[in-house]
Amino acid sequence: MTSQNQAPRSIAIVGAGQAGLLLGCALLDQGYAVTLVTNRTPEDVWHGRVMSSQFIFDPGLQIERDFGMNQWEAQCPNTEGIGFSIPAPDGSGKQALHWHARLRAPGQAVDQRIKMPGWMAEFQRRGGELRFEEVDIAGLERLAAGHELVLLAGGKGEIVNLLGRDESRSPVKQPMRQLALTYVKGMRRFDYFECVNFNLIPGVGEYFVFPSLTTKGDNDTQVCDIMVFEGVPGGPMDCWQDAKTPEQHLEVSLNILKTFLPWEHERSRDCELTDANGILSGRVTPAVRNPVLTLPSGKLVMGLGDAAIVNDPITGQGSNNATKSAGHYYHAILARGNQPFDAAWMRHTFDDLYDNNLSAVARWTNSLLFPPPEHVVNLLGAAQQLPTLASRIANGFNDPRDYLPFWFDAEGAGKAIEQAAAPMAA
Ligand SMILES: Cc1cc2nc3c(=O)[nH]c(=O)nc-3n(C[C@H](O)[C@H](O)[C@H](O)COP(=O)(O)OP(=O)(O)OC[C@H]3O[C@@H](n4cnc5c(N)ncnc54)[C@H](O)[C@@H]3O)c2cc1C
């Protein structure tokens, strides 16, 4: 990236999360001088509250492998497919619809409480400078004065709001779900291969659940399952305000399953929390932000990961996006050689990623926040009879651009159903 006599290019990253650490470590391997500033120490993260369910599909895992960042791959349970269920509307507790289909390659979820401390150590091992500080505008100015490129990868931190929403790319203006996470052990398995089991309860919300690797005590790990609840605001799954203790949070989780998804309750009834911090509730406002921030000094900062684009977790794409973004920025930085990281380059780098990839993820994710149109109901129903269609829908999670031809209009959906049915009829 530089000739032998030149000093390495210097890059500062704010935020030690999925995007910042991955990109920072990858750039260190290429000889860049990387400073990473974050507001939580490894100990804070390990002993803190869970932040996500962080399920990553194979294309994201491949980027981690390519960067030598797959440290927990052998320990973490594999999830082989996607299961999809809708309960019967008559309240009988039966499934009106169920299918499951294999992913082309498994996905995994490593608790960020394990991953981020581990990656911070890896960042330092590769020669990066790691600092602990709550970064504000003055902090950004200091970083911009001393580095050729400053990336803001502050996730959900207040600071990312400095980038400002791009309203034209952010059609959903408020949180559409009340979210909750419950990390548990002791869940029984279904009699089919391991899946992200996604349940859609019309008018109430969604529940999905899958295995993960989480923390155990001060430095050990254990396998668990992560329950993810997505309640329609004001509906019966928007019920976390009264859960004041971790035990009450688990009780609310199990009550929801008992009421709406008895087949999930049946295998979860004896579950225990992994730890008192294995719970979370909150809301996310989907946003695409302006990728470039101009500081009072005129220096520039570029958004990365959730700071640049954040979606509701309903499709489990945020960590995947952060990973793909890190990969995309990595190649763009390398391709830039010794030319300046100016505003035009920043905008082009983000627009290229957004237009050719992440806009499709956002469009599909946002579509699931509203009652499904008839053609989507037809697609999901037909998948029960048509394994190739079930497989096509399941594998779209790997790369949501694959939904573009068939998810968004009745004609495309009809064709997808016909195509999937054709070999069966032949
Ligand atoms: C309930 C829930 C479930 C989810 N489930 C999934 C899922 O299954 N699959 C999936 O792909 N995605 C999921 N996501 C989304 C995923 O967690 C995020 O998209 C991903 O972590 C974003 O990575 P990031 O690097 O941009 O930000 P983060 O990983 O959030 O990292 C941000 C970093 O910035 C630091 N920081 C913040 N402010 C400052 C500051 N002022 N100064 C210094 N440091 C700062 C933070 O401490 C942190 O280290 C979920 C999210 C939620 C809320």
Side-chain angles (χ1 to χ4, degrees):
M1 85 61 223
T2 46
S3 72
Q4 277 188 334
N5 299 327
Q6 277 175 315
R9 299 202 80 175
S10 62
I11 298 186
I13 302 175
V14 177
Q18 179 71 24
L21 278 164
L22 198 53
L23 179 58
C25 286
L27 289 173
L28 285 169
D29 263 2
Q30 293 298 324
Y32 288 78
V34 187
T35 306
L36 203 148
V37 189
T38 194
N39 58 2
R40 297 175 76 209
T41 66
E43 294 72 29
D44 292 339
V45 175
W46 182 283
H47 295 290
R49 182 93 8 138
V50 294
M51 294 161 276
S52 176
S53 56
Q54 68 263 320
F55 189 90
I56 301 192
F57 293 89
D58 184 63
L61 296 180
Q62 189 55 47
I63 294 172
E64 294 187 348
R65 287 180 204 115
D66 291 345
F67 291 156
M69 301 289 279
N70 56 331
Q71 291 85 336
W72 302 274
E73 188 162 18
Q75 280 167 269
C76 186
N78 276 338
T79 296
E80 311 278 345
I82 302 284
F84 180 80
S85 303
I86 299 184
D90 60 8
S92 61
K94 302 235 159 54
Q95 291 167 319
L97 182 76
H98 175 81
W99 51 261
H100 49 270
R102 276 190 192 277
L103 290 162
R104 280 189 287 276
Q108 291 191 336
V110 176
D111 188 343
Q112 292 183 339
R113 295 181 300 176
I114 297 175
K115 196 177 208 180
M116 300 319 156
W119 279 3
M120 283 191 237
E122 177 66 13
F123 178 80
Q124 288 178 304
R125 197 191 62 74
R126 293 187 190 193
E129 185 189 342
L130 182 62
R131 289 191 218 149
F132 300 105
E133 180 188 318
E134 177 76 33
V135 176
D136 54 12
I137 294 187
L140 289 174
E141 288 282 18
R142 282 194 296 277
L143 290 170
H147 297 83
E148 293 175 77
L149 172 64
V150 179
L151 295 165
L152 178 54
K156 286 172 273 302
E158 267 302 302
I159 191 167
V160 306
N161 294 321
L162 291 173
L163 290 163
R165 276 168 71 90
D166 178 342
E167 292 298 343
S168 67
R169 287 173 167 174
S170 307
V172 180
K173 309 289 182 193
Q174 74 271 329
M176 297 295 290
R177 293 290 185 274
Q178 171 65 43
L179 310 170
L181 297 176
T182 313
Y183 280 45
V184 295
K185 48 190 182 176
M187 188 178 290
R188 285 187 287 278
R189 313 327 296 170
F190 283 133
D191 61 4
Y192 49 90
F193 50 87
E194 206 61 76
C195 278
V196 174
N197 283 291
F198 189 98
N199 298 271
L200 190 160
I201 313 157
V204 174
E206 298 78 20
Y207 168 74
F208 48 101
V209 56
F210 47 82
S212 174
L213 187 72
T214 189
T215 56
K216 185 177 180 192
D218 286 344
N219 51 21
D220 205 357
T221 60
Q222 61 183 327
V223 170
C224 72
D225 285 279
I226 305 181
M227 301 172 158
V228 187
F229 297 88
E230 292 251 338
V232 173
M237 217 198 260
D238 178 2
C239 55
W240 303 94
Q241 55 285 353
D242 295 333
K244 306 285 185 221
T245 65
E247 293 71 30
Q248 286 168 358
H249 186 101
L250 176 62
E251 201 181 318
V252 170
S253 307
L254 294 178
N255 277 341
I256 291 171
L257 299 186
K258 194 173 180 182
T259 309
F260 296 106
L261 306 168
W263 58 93
E264 289 286 2
H265 181 257
E266 184 49 36
R267 69 187 187 124
S268 311
R269 58 195 316 155
D270 301 324
C271 283
E272 291 170 25
L273 289 176
T274 54
D275 62 292
N277 280 321
I279 58 167
L280 184 75
S281 65
R283 294 183 183 211
V284 171
T285 306
V288 179
R289 297 196 181 86
N290 301 311
V292 185
L293 164 67
T294 306
L295 296 170
S297 65
K299 293 206 180 297
L300 304 175
V301 171
M302 183 181 186
L304 165 67
D306 268 10
I309 173 168
V310 61
N311 293 310
D312 188 282
I314 191 165
T315 53
Q317 293 291 317
S319 293
N320 292 272
N321 281 352
T323 307
K324 291 173 186 171
S325 301
H328 181 83
Y329 283 29
Y330 168 84
H331 290 294
I333 289 168
L334 261 57
R336 194 65 176 158
N338 284 316
Q339 292 174 268
F341 299 114
D342 54 21
W345 174 83
M346 291 179 182
R347 275 202 200 92
H348 172 77
T349 299
F350 180 74
D351 286 351
D352 186 23
L353 172 71
Y354 180 79
D355 292 340
N356 295 311
N357 195 328
L358 301 192
S359 59
V361 183
R363 187 177 175 203
W364 172 61
T365 302
N366 288 338
S367 79
L368 283 162
L369 298 172
F370 297 91
E374 197 182 337
H375 69 267
V376 170
V377 175
N378 292 342
L379 271 173
L380 294 170
Q384 185 168 246
Q385 270 76 48
L386 301 171
T388 23
L389 182 60
S391 171
R392 192 173 178 191
I393 296 172
N395 279 290
F397 280 80
N398 290 316
D399 186 345
R401 287 175 293 186
D402 293 349
Y403 291 115
L404 289 172
F406 71 97
W407 191 264
F408 298 99
D409 63 79
E411 197 188 328
K415 272 195 199 137
I417 294 171
E418 264 172 45
Q419 279 166 6
M424 296 189 80

PDB file of all heavy atoms in Angstrom, residues 8-26:
ATOM      1  N   PRO A   8       3.432   4.536   6.768  1.00  0.00           N
ATOM      2  CA  PRO A   8       2.124   3.944   6.469  1.00  0.00           C
ATOM      3  C   PRO A   8       1.013   4.980   6.573  1.00  0.00           C
ATOM      4  O   PRO A   8       1.126   5.926   7.363  1.00  0.00           O
ATOM      5  CB  PRO A   8       1.973   2.864   7.540  1.00  0.00           C
ATOM      6  CG  PRO A   8       2.983   3.152   8.585  1.00  0.00           C
ATOM      7  CD  PRO A   8       4.065   3.973   7.957  1.00  0.00           C
ATOM      8  N   ARG A   9      -0.029   4.803   5.782  1.00  0.00           N
ATOM      9  CA  ARG A   9      -1.177   5.720   5.894  1.00  0.00           C
ATOM     10  C   ARG A   9      -1.854   5.490   7.239  1.00  0.00           C
ATOM     11  O   ARG A   9      -1.971   4.354   7.710  1.00  0.00           O
ATOM     12  CB  ARG A   9      -2.167   5.473   4.752  1.00  0.00           C
ATOM     13  CG  ARG A   9      -1.557   5.711   3.395  1.00  0.00           C
ATOM     14  CD  ARG A   9      -2.620   5.981   2.353  1.00  0.00           C
ATOM     15  NE  ARG A   9      -3.080   7.359   2.414  1.00  0.00           N
ATOM     16  CZ  ARG A   9      -3.947   7.889   1.552  1.00  0.00           C
ATOM     17  NH1 ARG A   9      -4.462   7.153   0.587  1.00  0.00           N
ATOM     18  NH2 ARG A   9      -4.316   9.150   1.650  1.00  0.00           N
ATOM     19  N   SER A  10      -2.341   6.577   7.835  1.00  0.00           N
ATOM     20  CA  SER A  10      -2.897   6.461   9.189  1.00  0.00           C
ATOM     21  C   SER A  10      -4.417   6.603   9.159  1.00  0.00           C
ATOM     22  O   SER A  10      -4.965   7.519   8.539  1.00  0.00           O
ATOM     23  CB  SER A  10      -2.280   7.536  10.089  1.00  0.00           C
ATOM     24  OG  SER A  10      -2.615   8.801   9.592  1.00  0.00           O
ATOM     25  N   ILE A  11      -5.048   5.688   9.838  1.00  0.00           N
ATOM     26  CA  ILE A  11      -6.515   5.636   9.847  1.00  0.00           C
ATOM     27  C   ILE A  11      -6.991   5.538  11.288  1.00  0.00           C
ATOM     28  O   ILE A  11      -6.443   4.752  12.079  1.00  0.00           O
ATOM     29  CB  ILE A  11      -7.004   4.433   9.014  1.00  0.00           C
ATOM     30  CG1 ILE A  11      -6.541   4.639   7.564  1.00  0.00           C
ATOM     31  CG2 ILE A  11      -8.508   4.236   9.132  1.00  0.00           C
ATOM     32  CD1 ILE A  11      -7.020   3.676   6.560  1.00  0.00           C
ATOM     33  N   ALA A  12      -7.984   6.352  11.637  1.00  0.00           N
ATOM     34  CA  ALA A  12      -8.585   6.276  12.975  1.00  0.00           C
ATOM     35  C   ALA A  12     -10.000   5.735  12.841  1.00  0.00           C
ATOM     36  O   ALA A  12     -10.733   6.096  11.906  1.00  0.00           O
ATOM     37  CB  ALA A  12      -8.607   7.649  13.631  1.00  0.00           C
ATOM     38  N   ILE A  13     -10.374   4.872  13.766  1.00  0.00           N
ATOM     39  CA  ILE A  13     -11.732   4.317  13.771  1.00  0.00           C
ATOM     40  C   ILE A  13     -12.322   4.547  15.160  1.00  0.00           C
ATOM     41  O   ILE A  13     -11.680   4.241  16.174  1.00  0.00           O
ATOM     42  CB  ILE A  13     -11.718   2.800  13.452  1.00  0.00           C
ATOM     43  CG1 ILE A  13     -11.067   2.542  12.075  1.00  0.00           C
ATOM     44  CG2 ILE A  13     -13.127   2.229  13.502  1.00  0.00           C
ATOM     45  CD1 ILE A  13     -10.896   1.064  11.726  1.00  0.00           C
ATOM     46  N   VAL A  14     -13.544   5.075  15.205  1.00  0.00           N
ATOM     47  CA  VAL A  14     -14.250   5.256  16.474  1.00  0.00           C
ATOM     48  C   VAL A  14     -15.270   4.125  16.601  1.00  0.00           C
ATOM     49  O   VAL A  14     -16.162   4.005  15.763  1.00  0.00           O
ATOM     50  CB  VAL A  14     -14.965   6.618  16.531  1.00  0.00           C
ATOM     51  CG1 VAL A  14     -15.765   6.750  17.828  1.00  0.00           C
ATOM     52  CG2 VAL A  14     -13.965   7.749  16.391  1.00  0.00           C
ATOM     53  N   GLY A  15     -15.116   3.302  17.641  1.00  0.00           N
ATOM     54  CA  GLY A  15     -16.082   2.225  17.874  1.00  0.00           C
ATOM     55  C   GLY A  15     -15.478   0.853  17.649  1.00  0.00           C
ATOM     56  O   GLY A  15     -15.089   0.506  16.531  1.00  0.00           O
ATOM     57  N   ALA A  16     -15.393   0.063  18.744  1.00  0.00           N
ATOM     58  CA  ALA A  16     -14.850  -1.295  18.660  1.00  0.00           C
ATOM     59  C   ALA A  16     -15.995  -2.291  18.570  1.00  0.00           C
ATOM     60  O   ALA A  16     -16.232  -3.092  19.478  1.00  0.00           O
ATOM     61  CB  ALA A  16     -13.973  -1.579  19.878  1.00  0.00           C
ATOM     62  N   GLY A  17     -16.723  -2.234  17.456  1.00  0.00           N
ATOM     63  CA  GLY A  17     -17.822  -3.174  17.227  1.00  0.00           C
ATOM     64  C   GLY A  17     -17.519  -4.053  16.029  1.00  0.00           C
ATOM     65  O   GLY A  17     -16.366  -4.187  15.609  1.00  0.00           O
ATOM     66  N   GLN A  18     -18.578  -4.660  15.503  1.00  0.00           N
ATOM     67  CA  GLN A  18     -18.422  -5.594  14.381  1.00  0.00           C
ATOM     68  C   GLN A  18     -17.700  -4.935  13.210  1.00  0.00           C
ATOM     69  O   GLN A  18     -16.786  -5.513  12.628  1.00  0.00           O
ATOM     70  CB  GLN A  18     -19.815  -6.088  13.949  1.00  0.00           C
ATOM     71  CG  GLN A  18     -19.826  -7.038  12.776  1.00  0.00           C
ATOM     72  CD  GLN A  18     -19.272  -8.425  13.090  1.00  0.00           C
ATOM     73  OE1 GLN A  18     -19.274  -8.858  14.241  1.00  0.00           O
ATOM     74  NE2 GLN A  18     -18.787  -9.116  12.087  1.00  0.00           N
ATOM     75  N   ALA A  19     -18.099  -3.713  12.859  1.00  0.00           N
ATOM     76  CA  ALA A  19     -17.516  -3.068  11.676  1.00  0.00           C
ATOM     77  C   ALA A  19     -16.118  -2.530  11.955  1.00  0.00           C
ATOM     78  O   ALA A  19     -15.172  -2.784  11.199  1.00  0.00           O
ATOM     79  CB  ALA A  19     -18.435  -1.939  11.201  1.00  0.00           C
ATOM     80  N   GLY A  20     -15.983  -1.781  13.066  1.00  0.00           N
ATOM     81  CA  GLY A  20     -14.722  -1.092  13.335  1.00  0.00           C
ATOM     82  C   GLY A  20     -13.569  -2.052  13.574  1.00  0.00           C
ATOM     83  O   GLY A  20     -12.470  -1.880  13.022  1.00  0.00           O
ATOM     84  N   LEU A  21     -13.804  -3.087  14.386  1.00  0.00           N
ATOM     85  CA  LEU A  21     -12.712  -4.018  14.709  1.00  0.00           C
ATOM     86  C   LEU A  21     -12.318  -4.864  13.508  1.00  0.00           C
ATOM     87  O   LEU A  21     -11.141  -5.128  13.272  1.00  0.00           O
ATOM     88  CB  LEU A  21     -13.122  -4.909  15.881  1.00  0.00           C
ATOM     89  CG  LEU A  21     -12.934  -4.256  17.255  1.00  0.00           C
ATOM     90  CD1 LEU A  21     -13.708  -5.017  18.325  1.00  0.00           C
ATOM     91  CD2 LEU A  21     -11.450  -4.197  17.628  1.00  0.00           C
ATOM     92  N   LEU A  22     -13.326  -5.277  12.751  1.00  0.00           N
ATOM     93  CA  LEU A  22     -13.036  -6.120  11.576  1.00  0.00           C
ATOM     94  C   LEU A  22     -12.178  -5.350  10.575  1.00  0.00           C
ATOM     95  O   LEU A  22     -11.141  -5.839  10.106  1.00  0.00           O
ATOM     96  CB  LEU A  22     -14.373  -6.536  10.953  1.00  0.00           C
ATOM     97  CG  LEU A  22     -14.399  -7.706   9.996  1.00  0.00           C
ATOM     98  CD1 LEU A  22     -13.765  -8.942  10.601  1.00  0.00           C
ATOM     99  CD2 LEU A  22     -15.840  -8.007   9.593  1.00  0.00           C
ATOM    100  N   LEU A  23     -12.623  -4.128  10.266  1.00  0.00           N
ATOM    101  CA  LEU A  23     -11.868  -3.323   9.298  1.00  0.00           C
ATOM    102  C   LEU A  23     -10.495  -2.951   9.855  1.00  0.00           C
ATOM    103  O   LEU A  23      -9.486  -3.032   9.139  1.00  0.00           O
ATOM    104  CB  LEU A  23     -12.667  -2.060   8.942  1.00  0.00           C
ATOM    105  CG  LEU A  23     -11.992  -1.115   7.954  1.00  0.00           C
ATOM    106  CD1 LEU A  23     -11.672  -1.821   6.633  1.00  0.00           C
ATOM    107  CD2 LEU A  23     -12.884   0.112   7.678  1.00  0.00           C
ATOM    108  N   GLY A  24     -10.462  -2.574  11.133  1.00  0.00           N
ATOM    109  CA  GLY A  24      -9.185  -2.184  11.735  1.00  0.00           C
ATOM    110  C   GLY A  24      -8.163  -3.313  11.659  1.00  0.00           C
ATOM    111  O   GLY A  24      -7.012  -3.105  11.243  1.00  0.00           O
ATOM    112  N   CYS A  25      -8.586  -4.507  12.031  1.00  0.00           N
ATOM    113  CA  CYS A  25      -7.652  -5.655  12.008  1.00  0.00           C
ATOM    114  C   CYS A  25      -7.213  -5.964  10.575  1.00  0.00           C
ATOM    115  O   CYS A  25      -6.035  -6.265  10.333  1.00  0.00           O
ATOM    116  CB  CYS A  25      -8.313  -6.875  12.631  1.00  0.00           C
ATOM    117  SG  CYS A  25      -8.427  -6.765  14.425  1.00  0.00           S
ATOM    118  N   ALA A  26      -8.152  -5.888   9.627  1.00  0.00           N
ATOM    119  CA  ALA A  26      -7.802  -6.201   8.231  1.00  0.00           C
ATOM    120  C   ALA A  26      -6.801  -5.181   7.695  1.00  0.00           C
ATOM    121  O   ALA A  26      -5.858  -5.544   6.980  1.00  0.00           O
ATOM    122  CB  ALA A  26      -9.068  -6.218   7.380  1.00  0.00           C
TER     123      ALA A  26
END
